[in-house]
Amino acid sequence: MTIMKTTNQNPTALTDTFGRQISYLRLSVTDRCDLRCHYCMAENMIFLPKAEVLSLEEMLMLCNAFIDRGVRRIRLTGGEPLVRKDIIWLFEQLGKQINSKRIDEVTVTTNGTQLSKMATDLYNAGVRRVNISLDTLKRDAFAEITRRDSLSKVMEGIDAALSAGLKVKINTVALKNKNEHEISDILNWCITKGLDLTLIETMPLGNIDSAREDSYLPLTGVIDNLKTDFTLTPNTHRTGGPARYYSIENSASKLGVITPLTNNFCDGCNRVRVTCTGRIYMCLGQSNHVDLREAIRSTNPEAELNKLLGNAMQEKPYGHDFAMKDGKMTGTVGRHMSMTGG
């Protein structure tokens, strides 16, 4: 297929060479996490020196630069974003941008371990939706997958989020021989609690202790199995991201699927990711990036950032290269998911 590039007709908006306007920023506020999920990071991770990580004030400056160029939605990620000291301050500052109508929403992806003490603060700061990563409802399986016995803290966090008025979506990575026989139970639990669920195929990001192919579970088969227990109907709901959705009969919950290996949905991509060190990655599955930190710390950060953001749009690829070939994952990217932001 030939992909035609287009010329940006609006110099203010962040628009890539394929005519896609970037309206969604995912900003990693830290590479640190209090869990060690097998598919995400190694047991003995070496984390970044603090001097390399942007301050919260620098992150706010960065967010404002994106907002000036048309970004309407911002998601703070990690690592685990809620372990970042004073992170509520950044949520509060971004919440002011919601009040002034400059952006539509600020959200967060979290593992849930800190939510029992932070959910109300998040709501008061302007957050209305949270994504919580949860791959199992079983304590032993949770401890094996995350290398931490913290399931009870996550469950307390989910209840705290709901009590605070936050809408909760569960993100579950489908893992062969780990949770594949539990996915129906997870979906039923989500329906019971009024939560949406998104299933995600494991992706070849970062060097881990085992072969990712050993845990790879194609979601095509998972959906076929779920249809024996649930009546699923394709839903036209779209967020501009990679998820495709199903309605569930007799339920207000939605089921999303992200299938980077079995079905690539990059055509409508409206997002970029920025690491906690200020690197902007235009695609999760590509290594090309632009380093924004020097511009942020320059004597004229507004002008320098504006220029580099324009340069980055010229580098945004049409899509990633993740694929399965002869039983092996291809398109592998060396950096861990926790570095880019989940």
Side-chain angles (χ1 to χ4, degrees), residues 109-160:
T109 294
T110 173
N111 62 30
T113 60
Q114 308 298 313
L115 275 176
S116 62
K117 57 186 179 183
M118 298 179 76
T120 298
D121 289 338
L122 288 169
Y123 187 91
N124 291 339
V127 177
R128 293 295 178 266
R129 298 190 302 121
V130 296
N131 287 2
I132 300 176
S133 301
L134 180 64
D135 300 325
T136 178
L137 302 175
K138 299 177 180 178
R139 179 180 176 183
D140 290 347
F142 184 95
E144 181 183 356
I145 291 170
T146 68
R147 302 186 179 100
R148 301 292 186 269
D149 186 10
S150 300
L151 179 60
S152 61
K153 292 172 65 176
V154 175
M155 291 302 187
E156 290 170 8
I158 292 171
D159 289 338

Side-chain angles (χ1 to χ4, degrees), residues 28-170:
S28 171
V29 298
T30 181
D31 67 327
R32 297 171 186 267
C33 187
D34 51 353
L35 301 180
R36 295 291 185 275
C37 298
H38 280 274
Y39 55 79
C40 183
M41 59 175 65
E43 169 67 49
N44 299 309
M45 287 291 291
I46 299 175
F47 295 111
L48 292 165
K50 290 185 178 180
E52 294 186 19
V53 177
L54 299 180
S55 69
L56 294 180
E57 291 80 8
E58 289 171 331
M59 289 182 176
L60 179 59
M61 180 194 303
L62 183 64
C63 288
N64 285 332
F66 276 97
I67 293 169
D68 289 341
R69 298 293 298 271
V71 162
R72 301 292 305 182
R73 297 167 57 206
I74 296 175
R75 178 175 294 277
L76 300 188
T77 69
E80 170 47 47
L82 300 186
V83 301
R84 175 76 190 255
K85 185 179 179 181
D86 298 324
I87 190 59
I88 292 298
W89 177 86
L90 183 56
F91 280 106
E92 290 171 343
Q93 300 309 306
L94 294 173
K96 294 176 182 178
Q97 302 282 28
I98 300 174
N99 294 335
S100 64
K101 309 298 183 182
R102 294 193 71 215
I103 57 175
D104 298 324
E105 67 170 359
V106 175
T107 56
V108 59
T109 294
T110 173
N111 62 30
T113 60
Q114 308 298 313
L115 275 176
S116 62
K117 57 186 179 183
M118 298 179 76
T120 298
D121 289 338
L122 288 169
Y123 187 91
N124 291 339
V127 177
R128 293 295 178 266
R129 298 190 302 121
V130 296
N131 287 2
I132 300 176
S133 301
L134 180 64
D135 300 325
T136 178
L137 302 175
K138 299 177 180 178
R139 179 180 176 183
D140 290 347
F142 184 95
E144 181 183 356
I145 291 170
T146 68
R147 302 186 179 100
R148 301 292 186 269
D149 186 10
S150 300
L151 179 60
S152 61
K153 292 172 65 176
V154 175
M155 291 302 187
E156 290 170 8
I158 292 171
D159 289 338
L162 293 172
S163 295
L166 295 168
K167 182 174 177 59
V168 173
K169 179 168 76 70
I170 301 298

Side-chain angles (χ1 to χ4, degrees), residues 207-261:
N207 297 315
I208 58 174
D209 301 330
S210 58
R212 291 187 186 276
E213 291 83 359
D214 294 342
S215 60
Y216 170 61
L217 186 62
L219 287 183
T220 47
V222 171
I223 293 300
D224 287 342
N225 290 334
L226 286 176
K227 286 179 178 177
T228 64
D229 297 320
F230 305 91
T231 300
L232 305 178
T233 305
N235 188 307
T236 58
H237 176 73
R238 295 290 183 271
T239 64
R244 294 300 181 265
Y245 294 90
Y246 293 88
S247 298
I248 307 166
E249 188 175 63
N250 299 322
S251 169
S253 297
K254 291 191 296 291
L255 173 65
V257 293
I258 297 178
T259 53
L261 292 168

